[in-house]
Amino acid sequence: MDALLARGRAAAEALMVDECVVRRPTGEGSDDDGNVVKTYEDLYAGKCRFQKASRGQAAQADVGEDYVLLQRVEVQFPMSLTGLKVGDEVLATVSQLDSDLPGRVFIVRDLAHGTHKTARRVGVTERTS
C-alpha cells in the first residue's frame, strides 16, 4: 500500500507545473511613503497546480454596493506541505500553461484531509482587491 501511494503522489506532483508562494498575513506595516501594507510570513514556495474546483459553480456575492462573482478554484500541492489554515494566501508566481495566472492572489477557504490522498487539495477564492 505504501508503494502504491508513493507512486500516486509522484504522479500527482508530475502534473504540478505551476509555482506559487503560500503566505500567512501577520499584520500591517507601512512603506517608505507611509502607505499601509500587509505583512506576511512565507510558508511555502514551490510547485503547485491550479484547477477549477470539481464541486460548485461560481456564485454571486453582494459586498456593500459592489457585485462580486466568486469563482471556486482548487490548488493542489505536494502532501509534504502541512500547516495550512483558512485565510492563508496563495500567490501564483509561474505558470507554464496559463499566462494570466502569475500575480493572482487566492485565499484559502477549504481544507481537506485524508489518509490516502495523492495531493493536498485546497479550495480557494481569488482576491481581486
Side-chain angles (χ1 to χ4, degrees), residues 6-25:
R7 285 196 310 269
R9 288 180 176 178
E13 285 190 38
L15 294 173
M16 296 178 192
V17 298
D18 301 322
E19 292 183 25
C20 57
V21 171
V22 179
R23 60 193 187 184
R24 182 166 294 148

Side-chain angles (χ1 to χ4, degrees), residues 30-129:
S30 59
D31 63 15
D32 293 337
D33 296 324
N35 299 310
V36 175
V37 294
K38 285 186 178 182
T39 57
Y40 298 94
E41 171 190 2
D42 287 348
L43 305 174
Y44 171 83
K47 57 183 155 183
C48 61
R49 181 180 186 209
F50 291 86
Q51 296 284 216
K52 182 172 187 221
S54 58
R55 60 185 191 279
Q57 299 283 331
Q60 174 184 341
D62 293 312
V63 180
E65 295 182 17
D66 195 12
Y67 169 84
V68 178
L69 188 62
L70 299 175
Q71 179 70 33
R72 306 271 314 163
V73 177
E74 178 182 88
V75 185
Q76 301 170 6
F77 299 101
M79 286 300 293
S80 59
L81 174 57
T82 59
L84 289 175
K85 294 182 180 180
V86 170
D88 288 344
E89 295 185 2
V90 179
L91 169 63
T93 56
V94 175
S95 179
Q96 293 181 22
L97 304 173
D98 183 352
S99 58
D100 279 339
L101 199 51
R104 294 184 182 274
V105 178
F106 301 85
I107 309 298
V108 174
R109 298 294 182 209
D110 302 307
L111 300 171
H113 306 284
T115 302
H116 296 109
K117 297 220 174 256
T118 56
R120 184 145 331 270
R121 292 172 173 84
V122 178
V124 299
T125 54
E126 186 172 3
R127 187 185 82 196
T128 57
S129 62

